[in-house]
Amino acid sequence: MTETLGDALSLVTTALHRSRNRDGGWGYHAGRQSRLEATCWAALGIAVPLTDTPILAWRAPHGLLVEPATRQTNYAFNGLAAVALAAEGSGTSDDAGQVVDGLLASKGVRIPASPAIRQDTTLQGWSWTDGTFTWVEPTAWCLLAVKRLRAHTRPGQARIAEAERVLHDRECTGGGWNFGNGVVYGADLPAHVPPTVAGLLAMQDRPDTALVERAWRFVERQAPREHSLTALAGAVLALGAVGRPVASLLDALAAQCRTSLGLENAAVLGMVAVALRSRDHEAGPRVFTLARQP
Amino acid sequence: MTPPPGRITRREFVTTAAALAAGGCRPRRFRPDDFARPAESPVALIAAPHYGVDLADLITRGLRTLDVDLTGARVLLKPNLVEFEPESVINTHPAVIGATAVACRRLGAREVVVAEGPGHRRDLEYLLASTRTLPVLRDERLPFVDLNHDDVAAVPLRTWYTDLGTLALPQTVLDADVIVSLPKLKTHHWAGLTCAMKNLFGVVPGAVYGWPKNVLHFKGIGESILDIVATVRPHLAIVDGIIGMEGDGPILGTPRPAGVLIMGRDVVAVDATAARVMALRPEGIGYLREAARFLGHLDAARIPMRGERLERFVTPFRVLPAFEGLRA
């Protein structure tokens, strides 16, 4: 790791160590309630086992992790948690597997077709919360988790196939994904970097598809323009996962860290730390790596 | 976002409240005793031809016409920050945010914080920087709270238009003495109008409910607006109508200058006035019509104008075909 990247990593990990709660978890901001997403990213960022955090105590009977602070099941963050728990030294395969089994038991709801939107509303991936529609980010994180941990099972294979159809269906014009719909009332809505990062991580095992190529081209073009830690760190992880060069993005990320730690959101800083450490193939992107599909 | 699922179209949505009202067996949605209303709800209309004028002075004067006193108050400003497109006018202009903060301090506020939880963009660092809100926050030394990622508490809803019962709400919102809704004047492709009331969707935390905050669409946009506004009870609204958005709002519409700041204590009256500025009939918007039963005033006779006359600012905003029926 270069001195520049090392300095940036030191800044970020110091902030993460400092903001850790007494219960071993992280809130999104220092001194705030421990939350699932923030804890997963921060723990990955400083290579703390998730077994040393409170998240496994949040397991509900269905196997999913439910924050006591919100008492709502967030499927996207459970997808992330499953992947993080499956990381070497972070949890056990059983810890992760129980979460994925909970994910396999849940689906976004179908809604009637609407002339306002282009998408196929019958496809069922994952929603953010119970009883709502399928969206790109929860579908991508849950798809990544299922591919990592249950790809060999029949239920896993069925959900993978449908979730991949969701991602094909929701692609924005020109490539990539946004938070919601690619087209509303015939008008194109732009892709965003963070949802595209999630989509790329989930589809990295199919790097030769046009869908993935359009997505990485979008991230390569857009992420450097956004000058945010989220966009730059996410781009490093996603482009690294599909074998694209990330050296210039890493330099930009390190420079951005020296300017500002953004809004000091622990989830973002954890992602930044994972991205910066990826240069040396420490605990970084291997957490999110899938084997290529033929 | 998706349209509200299945049971409701945009046109149906606009007329939902009227249809409900016509039915004889409507369930009880609110306890009237919980919502005392003044006999009248003054609204101030202040001319502001562009963003380069002394907005802090204009807003201070406008709030003074409403006898607003913020002595010792912890004030939360809730702008509308949604998405960024270089040539568009999607968001509350940063000059209005900064000027409102200055005005609040002049009126005695002990603390002013800016807070928002965008329902589209999750990357607030990008959104604050690209919209040039960040320099204003720095210049005015305004703390910013990301409501999508704030601590939350489960709060029982004060009305029952949805069946949610409780909603997780950000602690920063719950701790504020005064909440100021600071929206952009825009048309909305599902709701007809988005202004001071709809702007409160942004207090619902994304880290709990997701992006978009889809549970609110499933429960009904109008119904959710009513439950949120009735529970959060914003104390003031200041609408950035200097350049609004017409057509396919709230994101894909086009800029439409109206040259006005609209402010008041009653968010229903403010939204009704905003609709009239856009040459739309507020009575045609279901959630406004319903809100006028208990939350505030819709009837122009109960909304005395302070500052300038309404007629000076009436600017017909283009609407999507489904909302042509809203035209005054």
Side-chain angles (χ1 to χ4, degrees), chain A residues 28 32-33 35 37 70-72 74 77 109 112 114 128-129 133 135 179 181 185 187 190 192 228-229 256, chain B residues 1-3 6 10 83 85 120-125 149-152 154 190 207-208 210-211 214 218 252:
Chain A
Y28 285 103
R32 301 303 181 117
Q33 300 159 338
R35 305 286 288 273
E37 184 195 26
T70 66
R71 288 178 281 171
Q72 300 268 348
N74 186 307
F77 302 162
V109 303
S114 163
W128 283 98
T129 55
F133 190 55
W135 297 101
F179 69 97
N181 307 305
Y185 286 110
H192 296 168
S228 79
L229 295 180
Q256 185 75 7
Chain B
M1 72 180 74
T2 53
R10 289 188 305 173
E83 175 60 279
E85 286 295 325
H120 295 187
R121 284 271 183 186
R122 207 180 157 191
D123 184 356
L124 255 170
E125 185 187 7
H149 299 106
D150 197 14
D151 279 0
V152 294
W190 305 135
V208 180
W211 289 263
N214 199 206
F218 267 74
L252 296 173

Side-chain angles (χ1 to χ4, degrees), chain A residues 75-86:
Chain A
Y75 292 101
F77 302 162
N78 270 274
L80 167 67
V83 175
L85 282 164

Side-chain angles (χ1 to χ4, degrees), chain B residues 119-263:
Chain B
H120 295 187
R121 284 271 183 186
R122 207 180 157 191
D123 184 356
L124 255 170
E125 185 187 7
Y126 166 72
L127 198 54
L128 290 172
S130 59
T131 58
R132 306 201 59 75
T133 304
L134 214 46
V136 170
L137 298 177
R138 284 186 186 138
D139 291 350
E140 297 299 338
R141 299 186 179 193
L142 282 167
F144 181 87
V145 176
D146 176 355
L147 296 178
N148 280 327
H149 299 106
D150 197 14
D151 279 0
V152 294
V155 176
L157 295 173
R158 300 182 71 201
T159 56
W160 307 282
Y161 285 90
T162 71
D163 60 2
L164 285 166
T166 62
L167 203 57
L169 289 175
Q171 199 61 50
T172 304
V173 170
L174 301 175
D175 291 344
D177 300 317
V178 173
I179 296 169
V180 184
S181 182
L182 207 58
K184 190 77 167 174
L185 183 68
K186 292 190 287 188
T187 53
H188 191 283
H189 59 201
W190 305 135
L193 165 79
T194 173
C195 206
M197 292 178 69
K198 171 74 171 62
N199 182 39
L200 270 292
F201 263 34
V203 306
V204 176
V208 180
Y209 297 104
W211 289 263
K213 297 161 185 180
N214 199 206
V215 68
L216 305 181
H217 308 134
F218 267 74
K219 299 299 181 186
I221 294 177
E223 291 85 347
S224 297
I225 291 172
L226 289 161
D227 278 351
I228 292 168
V229 174
T231 302
V232 172
R233 301 299 293 269
H235 304 79
L236 274 173
I238 302 171
V239 182
D240 171 6
I242 298 173
I243 301 178
M245 176 183 278
E246 66 177 2
D248 191 5
I251 295 175
L252 296 173
T254 49
R256 183 76 159 121
V260 66
L261 294 162
I262 308 165
M263 51 192 98

Side-chain angles (χ1 to χ4, degrees), chain B residues 241-285:
Chain B
I242 298 173
I243 301 178
M245 176 183 278
E246 66 177 2
D248 191 5
I251 295 175
L252 296 173
T254 49
R256 183 76 159 121
V260 66
L261 294 162
I262 308 165
M263 51 192 98
R265 295 171 183 269
D266 173 347
V267 289
V268 183
V270 167
D271 277 10
T273 304
R276 290 176 178 123
V277 165
M278 301 160 94
L280 303 177
R281 289 183 307 106
E283 301 83 2
I285 297 170

Side-chain angles (χ1 to χ4, degrees), chain A residues 229-286:
Chain A
L229 295 180
T230 302
L232 293 168
V236 167
L237 297 181
L239 294 176
V242 294
R244 300 294 304 164
V246 295
S248 63
L249 282 168
L250 275 166
D251 290 341
L253 178 60
Q256 185 75 7
C257 289
R258 285 197 305 277
T259 307
S260 142
L261 290 184
L263 301 174
E264 303 212 21
N265 177 320
V268 175
L269 296 182
M271 186 196 296
V272 169
V274 174
L276 289 169
R277 294 169 73 206
S278 72
R279 180 62 173 260
D280 289 344
H281 301 289
E282 292 179 25
R286 277 184 300 181

